[in-house]
Amino acid sequence: MIISKTENGHNVNGQEMLVGIDVAKQTHVARILLTDGRESKAFSFHNTREGFESLMSWLMLNKMRFGCISILAGLESTGHYWEALAFFLDGENDIRLVQVNPKYVKKTKELYDNSPGKTDSKDAGVIAMLIRMGKFQRLVLPKGHFAELRCYSKLREQKVVGLGVQRNILHSLVDPIFPEYGGIFKKLESKTSLHILKNFTTPDGILIAGIKKLTFSLRTASHGRHSHACAERLYSAASTTIGVREGIEAAAYAVRSSIAAIENIQKDISVIEKELLRVLQKIPYAGQLLSIPGIGPVSLAIILGEAGDLHRYKKAEELIKLAGLNLFEISSGKHHGQRHITKRGRPLLRKCLFFAALRTVKTGGTFREDYLRHTKTNQMHKTKALVAISRKLLRVLFALVRDGVQYNQKKMELLAA
């Protein structure tokens, strides 16, 4: 048996049948590439159980025909159409499943046949060629509790994005009719602000209510944080506003409608976060990871949902690459370019790690000294320093799971090594 290692460090078995699969919504295309360069005709199959079973029959038949001992199958992990096929193939013992970066496929199409043309058959061949070159990554599919975490994490992110959209809509509705309101409540989506807008909505509504009623509403909604002074400011602003009065009834209806949408999204996020915490409690090593000061349970749930079981990774660099936090530079001759992160991993994982890093570098935070060393001693930009902390945080998370220990500040450097 001949096993070759590519420049990326991936092992490709000399007697392995390489299969590239181009994924689509309804019909997928597969092509076989042998290590001696022989290539099969394209095989099309539908995105159904019958189609998947026909693919398996075709693969097993060609495996026997070419005398291969195993199958290395790769596909592009774009969109969501690949997931059903990936889980189907992942259950087969004779198949090793990997993923190919879509950017690689796009950039190497002309290398395949010296033509800029694009077809599903060609894409499948390009994917197989990239597998042969070792340009692939191990596909880690979320299963069990980690699959639940990932679904909830994606749903929460969708809600957060929707909340941002509704927040912008609310600003665009309130500013024309009451431009002074934003100077009193900087966050229009805050609980107190929404309470005032929902109950009084327009400057005229605030004037009709009067200072006494406004004071009571403010104290109730803010649990005593806002007082009579705030009510007076609000009343004064309403009495001298330069807001538009034309179409005010329709504008008030639009404001209340936007508020209802915001409150519904906030309730959904709250429910989703409770579910994230419920599932997180079922992860055996969650307590070890939560021992890192500054890492909250919701953030950890999202990280594990995106990364999956950390036991399935052999080294921390795999996690860093998955998050798109691996570094690259463009240098030539005497020119030495700056190092940047590739941003080719999972954006939600990278985003969550960045905000978690923010919490760990605050005064008294776990990685505060590291952050100051980057920014002051090494003269690193603050954003780049936070990226460096994000990378370190991933290494620490991996080390805690690898060694099965709680976080210890004194032993941190040893664990992260």
Side-chain angles (χ1 to χ4, degrees):
M1 182 186 302
I2 300 175
I3 298 178
S4 61
K5 181 172 285 190
T6 67
E7 61 181 11
N8 290 341
H10 296 302
N11 291 330
V12 178
N13 193 327
Q15 296 182 0
E16 211 163 23
M17 187 172 75
L18 310 181
V19 182
I21 304 175
D22 181 66
V23 177
K25 182 176 181 179
Q26 296 179 338
T27 304
H28 309 315
V29 178
R31 293 191 78 170
I32 295 172
L33 176 65
L34 300 176
T35 52
D36 60 6
R38 287 181 293 168
E39 192 174 29
S40 74
K41 293 182 178 180
F43 177 78
S44 299
F45 60 100
H46 295 296
N47 190 32
T48 61
R49 177 168 292 278
E50 290 182 355
F52 291 177
E53 290 176 351
S54 68
L55 170 67
M56 284 303 304
S57 299
W58 181 74
L59 290 175
M60 294 301 115
L61 179 65
N62 282 282
K63 177 187 170 186
M64 294 178 60
R65 173 188 170 192
F66 294 118
C68 298
I69 62 173
S70 60
I71 299 171
L72 178 58
L75 42 81
E76 294 178 275
S77 54
T78 55
H80 58 273
Y81 301 124
W82 63 276
E83 293 185 12
L85 178 60
F87 276 99
F88 180 85
L89 295 177
D90 189 58
E92 299 294 332
N93 294 328
D94 292 338
I95 298 179
R96 183 158 63 107
L97 194 61
V98 298
Q99 61 182 342
V100 176
N101 194 315
K103 293 182 181 293
Y104 292 173
V105 178
K106 183 177 181 180
K107 291 183 177 181
T108 55
K109 285 178 181 177
E110 292 199 31
L111 181 64
Y112 178 75
D113 61 358
N114 196 29
S115 167
K118 181 192 184 311
T119 63
D120 294 340
S121 174
K122 178 179 177 178
D123 285 352
V126 172
I127 293 171
M129 180 185 71
L130 288 170
I131 295 173
R132 184 183 181 186
M133 295 168 61
K135 306 297 183 181
F136 61 83
Q137 293 179 339
R138 188 164 61 97
L139 185 59
V140 180
L141 297 173
K143 296 181 180 180
H145 301 316
F146 298 96
E148 296 286 338
L149 288 176
R150 189 173 189 196
C151 288
Y152 281 127
S153 298
K154 291 170 67 176
L155 181 58
R156 180 185 181 277
E157 182 64 13
Q158 292 172 1
K159 296 294 182 181
V160 169
V161 172
L163 183 60
V165 171
Q166 288 299 329
R167 184 189 301 120
N168 292 336
I169 292 174
L170 183 61
H171 275 273
S172 69
L173 293 171
V174 173
D175 286 345
I177 63 174
F178 196 179
E180 298 84 0
Y181 187 82
I184 301 171
F185 296 103
K186 294 183 179 180
K187 290 187 177 181
L188 266 63
E189 72 278 6
S190 67
K191 185 177 179 180
T192 305
S193 172
L194 292 180
H195 178 81
I196 295 298
L197 289 173
K198 184 164 60 173
N199 286 279
F200 308 111
T201 312
T202 64
D204 288 340
I206 291 173
L207 292 175
I208 293 171
I211 294 179
K212 185 177 181 180
K213 190 173 182 178
L214 282 174
T215 301
F216 178 78
S217 294
L218 285 167
R219 284 178 176 171
T220 302
S222 66
H223 300 287
R225 287 192 299 271
H226 292 288
S227 60
H228 181 74
C230 182
E232 287 184 331
R233 288 171 52 204
L234 192 58
Y235 187 88
S236 176
S239 63
T240 59
T241 183
I242 58 171
V244 178
R245 292 181 176 271
E246 300 298 327
I248 194 69
E249 291 186 6
Y253 174 81
V255 169
R256 288 191 291 269
S257 177
S258 179
I259 291 171
I262 288 175
E263 290 179 336
N264 287 333
I265 293 175
Q266 288 175 338
K267 290 178 182 178
D268 288 342
I269 292 176
S270 178
V271 172
I272 293 170
E273 289 181 348
K274 288 180 181 178
E275 290 299 312
L276 281 170
L277 300 184
R278 179 185 62 81
V279 179
L280 182 65
Q281 292 176 353
K282 299 179 181 180
I283 307 298
Y285 51 76
Q288 299 169 15
L289 303 183
L290 288 173
S291 65
I292 303 176
I295 301 297
V298 173
S299 296
L300 179 61
I302 295 173
I303 291 172
L304 293 179
E306 287 295 294
D309 188 357
L310 301 189
H311 281 303
R312 300 179 67 179
Y313 296 91
K314 296 180 180 178
K315 52 185 179 179
E317 288 300 323
E318 293 181 88
L319 273 171
I320 291 173
K321 183 174 287 189
L322 180 68
L325 293 173
N326 49 316
L327 303 175
F328 79 98
E329 67 177 66
I330 299 177
S331 300
S332 178
K334 295 182 179 180
H335 171 72
H336 294 282
Q338 294 185 351
R339 304 182 79 185
H340 303 275
I341 57 173
T342 62
K343 294 185 180 180
R344 291 190 176 178
R346 292 183 175 172
L348 181 55
L349 175 59
R350 187 166 59 252
K351 173 184 174 181
C352 187
L353 285 167
F354 185 85
F355 284 110
L358 270 175
R359 292 190 294 272
T360 62
V361 301
K362 292 182 178 180
T363 303
T366 310
F367 299 140
R368 177 68 176 179
E369 293 184 4
D370 297 280
Y371 176 74
L372 293 177
R373 185 176 68 253
H374 287 311
T375 55
K376 294 185 177 181
T377 305
N378 300 332
Q379 299 297 312
M380 187 181 291
H381 190 274
K382 291 182 179 180
T383 302
K384 287 191 174 183
L386 286 170
V387 169
I389 297 299
S390 300
R391 287 165 52 88
K392 183 167 186 175
L393 179 58
L394 260 185
R395 292 181 183 278
V396 172
L397 290 171
F398 174 80
L400 293 180
V401 174
R402 179 194 65 198
D403 298 341
V405 296
Q406 298 278 329
Y407 177 80
N408 188 308
Q409 182 70 31
K410 295 180 180 179
K411 297 181 179 180
M412 182 183 63
E413 295 297 333
L414 178 62
L415 290 172

